[in-house]
Amino acid sequence: LPDRSSITNHVVVFSGGMDSFTLLHSVLRQEVTIPLDNIYALSFNYGQRHKRELSAAKIVCDRHGVSQHFISLAFLNDLSPISALTSDTPVPHGHYAAPSMKQTVVPGRNTIMLAAALAFAEGLDPDRPGIIYYGAHSGDHDIYPDCRPAYIEAMQAVVYTATEGRVILRAPFMDMTKGDILKHGLNIGLLAENYRNTWTCYAGGAVSCGKCGSCTERLLAFDEAGMIDPLEYQDRDSYKAQAKDDPTA
Ligand SMILES: [Zn+2]
């Protein structure tokens, strides 16, 4: 029998968005060295209005035979009843780096998600090492302090310390834009069409709005890669005007 401790468990924080979709496929593409049985997708339900993300995530896991675990973070609503992602507050339009996007912050969400991922990875098997993959990227740095490199490095130290190094946290997209992530996905063999099974819009409609910060960033990423986003949009063109309002440009 192989030494159990030589087999690593790979836990992907998988929201069903483009970034974690690309990340999951990066891990799957290493399949020669990682048995599918040792890959886990963790999807968090915190009452987000863009539930389409979670159904997209399920389709992808079913298709690839990846073991998917849904973790309820419903208590986030008790902690922060006013966040635009979970309440009836309108989702702001405009560039994803605009101050109005601060309304889309769910307080503490990333820390709680990573703590849950740590618990999951540690609990899988006490004899096996684990790697947590997290798709944070540079496009979120301006708005969300808990997406910045200093935060990720601190959480890497937390994960390492809490498990005596048995579990580690990787955030390979840390310095990449959404456009870079899409290009990486295309480089590892994904097609633009495959991104039909991802969801990015925050507005919670039947089709993507094309106007919220997330849609704007996504459409710009496809532009940057010279590709057409396969998703259907309510308004596919207004992002071009939104992008001009970029307060960070
Ligand atoms: Zn949208």
Side-chain angles (χ1 to χ4, degrees), residues 12-148:
V12 181
V13 177
F14 184 46
S15 68
M18 278 179 66
D19 312 324
S20 61
F21 174 85
T22 307
L23 187 53
L24 178 64
H25 280 86
S26 281
V27 174
L28 284 170
R29 301 283 149 149
Q30 307 169 44
E31 221 175 320
V32 232
T33 49
I34 307 175
L36 200 51
D37 283 355
N38 296 99
I39 300 177
Y40 300 84
L42 266 198
S43 300
F44 294 97
N45 190 345
Y46 51 92
Q48 58 269 59
R49 61 171 93 195
H50 48 301
K51 289 201 175 62
R52 283 287 293 274
E53 239 192 13
L54 290 178
S55 45
K58 185 172 182 332
I59 290 169
V60 171
C61 289
D62 287 351
R63 179 166 301 172
H64 294 282
V66 172
S67 162
Q68 186 184 25
H69 298 258
F70 285 96
I71 310 295
S72 171
L73 298 182
F75 66 90
L76 279 172
N77 292 300
D78 302 330
L79 298 173
S80 52
I82 57 162
S83 163
L85 289 194
T86 56
S87 71
D88 293 330
T89 314
V91 169
H93 288 178
H95 195 275
Y96 56 88
S100 64
M101 284 302 288
K102 287 213 164 158
Q103 286 172 37
T104 65
V105 171
V106 179
R109 180 187 61 183
N110 291 350
T111 306
I112 290 166
M113 281 194 328
L114 289 174
L118 158 63
F120 182 86
E122 191 177 18
L124 277 173
D125 186 332
D127 297 327
R128 274 186 195 163
I131 302 174
I132 299 166
Y133 297 85
Y134 182 50
H137 74 288
S138 70
D140 288 333
H141 294 181
D142 290 322
I143 304 298
Y144 308 112
D146 59 358
C147 293
R148 291 177 194 153

Side-chain angles (χ1 to χ4, degrees), residues 150-164:
Y151 169 82
I152 299 294
E153 283 159 23
M155 287 309 287
Q156 284 172 327
V158 167
V159 170
Y160 188 92
T161 309
T163 63
E164 295 184 305

Side-chain angles (χ1 to χ4, degrees), residues 7 128 140 173 198:
I7 303 168
R128 274 186 195 163
D140 288 333
F173 298 161
T198 64

Side-chain angles (χ1 to χ4, degrees), residues 91 200-204 207-216 233:
V91 169
T200 303
C201 183
Y202 275 167
V207 299
S208 297
C209 74
K211 289 179 178 170
C212 71
S214 292
C215 281
T216 303
Y233 283 90

